[in-house]
Amino acid sequence: MMMRYKEEKEAKKEAFRKYLESSGAVDALTKVLVSLYEQNDKPSSALEFIQNKLSCPSISEHEKLQAELSDLQIRYNELLTAHQKTCKELEELKSTHASAMASTKEATDDESAKDGL
């Protein structure tokens, strides 16, 4: 029973290793680690070095981007509200204009009918 568990565990490890190799993750990580190893002056944060090499934003950059996203979401909501208000005002103006045009047409028709008598 224990032997079968070990075989299953090894098979899962092997499948995962093949997945990482076929996706290019192993090569990318190897290149980054070799680059770190070859640095004469080792960076103070190996993790930030790896993130930069893999084109990942640092924690501070991520936080900055999150704050910017939040600000932009607030601005978007403000603009959307203003847009909806403007659309409503436009519809009201169109309605008022249509009513005014209808009243003008009725008045013109009434005057034409009176003139025709």
Side-chain angles (χ1 to χ4, degrees):
M1 185 85 163
M2 185 62 112
M3 193 63 144
R4 184 175 178 167
Y5 173 75
K6 285 184 179 181
E7 289 174 2
E8 287 177 6
K9 191 173 178 181
E10 286 301 315
K12 286 183 179 180
K13 283 183 185 180
E14 183 63 22
F16 186 67
R17 186 189 60 75
K18 286 181 180 178
Y19 161 74
L20 291 175
E21 284 180 357
S22 67
S23 68
V26 171
D27 287 338
L29 290 171
T30 300
K31 287 176 184 175
V32 170
L33 293 174
V34 167
S35 177
L36 178 59
Y37 176 78
E38 291 174 346
Q39 292 289 312
N40 290 330
D41 298 325
K42 301 293 186 234
S44 60
S45 172
L47 182 58
E48 278 192 35
F49 178 87
I50 293 168
Q51 288 174 329
N52 288 334
K53 287 292 185 178
L54 291 175
S55 300
C56 299
S58 67
I59 293 170
S60 62
E61 288 172 332
H62 178 73
E63 289 170 352
K64 181 181 173 186
L65 290 171
Q66 284 294 109
E68 184 178 351
L69 174 62
S70 179
D71 292 344
L72 289 172
Q73 185 65 51
I74 290 167
R75 181 70 178 135
Y76 168 80
N77 290 339
E78 290 170 351
L79 290 171
L80 181 61
T81 301
H83 172 72
Q84 290 170 339
K85 182 181 174 188
T86 303
C87 287
K88 184 178 177 183
E89 290 172 358
L90 177 62
E91 288 302 316
E92 289 170 359
L93 286 172
K94 284 181 180 178
S95 177
T96 302
H97 180 70
S99 296
M101 292 299 287
S103 297
T104 302
K105 185 174 186 317
E106 286 176 14
T108 305
D109 289 346
D110 287 347
E111 285 182 22
S112 295
K114 288 180 185 176
D115 289 342
L117 286 177

